[in-house]
Amino acid sequence: MESHLKSLLQPLGRTELCDSVIPALLDCISEIAKSLRESQHVSLAGTTNAFGDGQLNVDMAAENLVREALAKCPSIVTASSEEEPVERAAGDGQAVNPTSEKYTVAFDPLDGSSIIAPNWTVGTILGIWDGASAINQQPSEKQIASVLGVYGPRTTAIIALRVPGGEPQCLEIGIGGSGQEHQIIRSNVRLADPPFKTRYFAPANLRVAGQSENYMRLIMHFIEKSYTLRYCGGLVPDIVHALVKGHGVYVSPVTVASPAKLRRLYELFPIALIMECAGGKAIDPATGEDILNRPLEDCDETAGLVCGTAEEVEIVKKVLLGA
Ligand SMILES: *[C@@H]1O[C@H](CO)[C@@H](O)[C@H](O)[C@H]1NC(C)=O
């Protein structure tokens, strides 16, 4: 895996990203997996995060592990997370940045709190930005990499790279346990072109279909066209399902009854980069605009999500926007 990353990133002058940032994040995913396996109890830690979600002991353990990993990388100058959505200096101020590379990391340490107790698959979401802030930056250009950690029976990761001067890349990695190496499972994750024998759909917030005529029409379309339901309620495994199968569509609409819930900085931007690097699309269901088009003004912003193969996203957009 190391030599493959080197061949992709060294020619682009991204030594720190290649030798320090990505390895530190992959090792951290391995650590979080270990800490989840060793957590016999999953309990509320007694606080709520800035978004009003109850904070779990495992959320806080994951948050701390990511913060420790970031502090080890001198090129990471700024960090913020879903648990603490304020941009702050990432290190202890002691490390000297050895190169011209300077990154900001925005992350959701453990996505899927509500399905941790039944031991379903959950994930970590990380976005890596060029420069000292993600705020007021063009997401499609400045978020140059993202990483998803997937904690299921196996621990895997998806890496997207879109570094200026290079081709977009999407890789699937098998994460090793302590002392083991990480291995490439697939060096080129691509969503396939139609026709498909099966079509997969993942409808989040299905309960609001009763209050939204367009969402109900969309669900009826999926049923009438014999789509196969693949939805578990964890954003990361639901997205990774489409990447592994090579096609599918994920829909999290925004309706009057159900305001936008997904965080643009900590969830939507990293996932949108992965979808685009795999040849798919990710749009805002309220406007039809690409998720990565509009800069962030505030770390707390939320939106809905439609993503997957371009063809399916187009169909969903038409039905949801009533076009
Ligand atoms: C949770 O699932 C993992 C594998 O997916 C397993 O190793 C572990 O024992 C399970 N833990 C519990 C408490 O069921």
Side-chain angles (χ1 to χ4, degrees), residues 14-30:
R14 301 288 181 151
T15 313
E16 290 296 303
L17 183 64
C18 174
D19 294 349
S20 155
V21 177
I22 291 177
L25 295 181
L26 296 182
D27 289 348
C28 175
I29 287 168
S30 175

Side-chain angles (χ1 to χ4, degrees), residues 29-163:
I29 287 168
S30 175
E31 292 290 313
I32 295 174
K34 183 160 173 274
S35 120
L36 281 176
R37 289 276 148 76
E38 289 169 358
S39 301
Q40 314 267 11
H41 297 280
V42 174
S43 55
L44 279 180
T47 49
T48 47
N49 65 24
F51 296 98
D53 300 335
Q55 223 161 19
L56 302 173
N57 56 343
V58 283
D59 288 347
M60 293 178 62
E63 166 87 13
N64 294 337
L65 287 168
V66 178
R67 294 268 176 192
E68 280 167 30
L70 301 183
K72 281 184 220 143
C73 303
S75 61
I76 300 175
V77 292
T78 310
S80 78
S81 78
E82 195 229 334
E83 301 295 331
E84 228 194 301
V86 197
E87 287 194 335
R88 281 202 285 114
D92 50 13
Q94 304 297 308
V96 185
N97 188 347
T99 66
S100 55
E101 289 167 74
K102 199 187 261 188
Y103 300 111
T104 292
V105 174
F107 63 99
D108 182 354
L110 204 57
D111 190 84
S113 302
S114 62
I115 53 170
I116 288 181
N119 207 19
W120 290 14
T121 298
V122 292
T124 296
I125 307 175
L126 303 123
I128 303 164
W129 296 66
D130 255 344
S133 174
I135 300 170
N136 294 321
Q137 307 293 324
Q138 182 54 39
S140 54
E141 286 163 23
K142 293 293 179 176
Q143 189 192 226
I144 50 127
S146 66
V147 179
L148 294 184
V150 191
Y151 313 108
R154 295 182 299 148
T155 305
T156 58
I158 303 280
I159 304 178
L161 301 169
R162 195 162 66 190
V163 175

Side-chain angles (χ1 to χ4, degrees), residues 224-278:
E224 281 160 8
K225 300 281 183 211
S226 303
Y227 279 56
T228 298
L229 174 71
R230 283 291 180 270
Y231 179 73
C232 74
L235 180 59
V236 170
D238 281 326
I239 296 295
V240 169
H241 182 272
L243 295 169
V244 169
K245 297 289 178 162
H247 57 103
V249 67
Y250 180 93
V251 187
S252 180
V254 174
T255 66
V256 179
S258 156
K261 245 180 44 192
L262 299 171
R263 286 94 197 188
R264 296 185 72 218
L265 181 56
Y266 306 114
E267 297 172 306
L268 295 178
F269 288 156
I271 282 172
L273 182 65
I274 284 175
M275 278 292 164
E276 291 190 4
C277 288

